[in-house]
């Protein structure tokens, strides 16, 4: 996979955990329920990522952040479609 695609996803994951720790949230302009339907497989992977982040940091990222991660995952899996 392309490093240029994976690095933003890793950065976003780290920042999402940091924002949760600081109790700050960024609203997702793409409504998370829509992302869950349109990117169902990616959303499922992002939910597993949420579990891993919780296990590693003790913080549970928001549904908005899970939606952002699903978009990153979709980009990694199908970069030509975005």
């Amino acid at each position: 996979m392309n490093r240029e695609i994976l690095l933003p996803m890793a950065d976003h994951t780290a920042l999402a955990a940091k924002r949760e720790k600081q109790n700050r949230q960024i609203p997702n302009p793409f409504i998370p329920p829509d992302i869950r339907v349109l990117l169902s497989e990616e959303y499922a992977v992002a939910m597993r990522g949420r579990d891993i982040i919780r296990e590693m940091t003790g913080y549970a990222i928001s549904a908005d952040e899970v939606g952002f991660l699903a978009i990153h995952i979709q980009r990694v899996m199908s970069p030509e479609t975005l």
Side-chain angles (χ1 to χ4, degrees):
M1 289 189 197
N2 188 330
R3 177 184 167 106
E4 294 163 359
I5 294 171
L6 290 176
L7 286 178
M9 187 169 69
D11 287 344
H12 186 95
T13 302
L15 289 172
K18 183 178 180 179
R19 281 192 293 273
E20 188 61 36
K21 181 178 180 180
Q22 296 171 342
N23 200 25
R24 294 182 325 145
Q25 293 188 3
I26 296 177
N28 190 331
F30 307 103
I31 302 170
D34 292 344
I35 293 171
R36 193 176 319 135
V37 171
L38 295 172
L39 303 175
S40 60
E41 292 178 26
E42 294 88 346
Y43 194 85
V45 172
M47 287 297 291
R48 177 62 184 126
R50 179 186 198 181
D51 294 341
I52 293 168
I53 291 168
R54 185 176 336 148
E55 290 168 13
M56 294 181 74
T57 68
Y59 297 99
I61 63 172
S62 70
D64 287 322
E65 294 288 0
V66 173
F68 285 129
L69 289 177
I71 292 168
H72 280 295
I73 292 164
Q74 194 277 336
R75 188 167 174 231
V76 168
M77 300 308 292
S78 303
E80 68 280 352
T81 62
L82 291 179

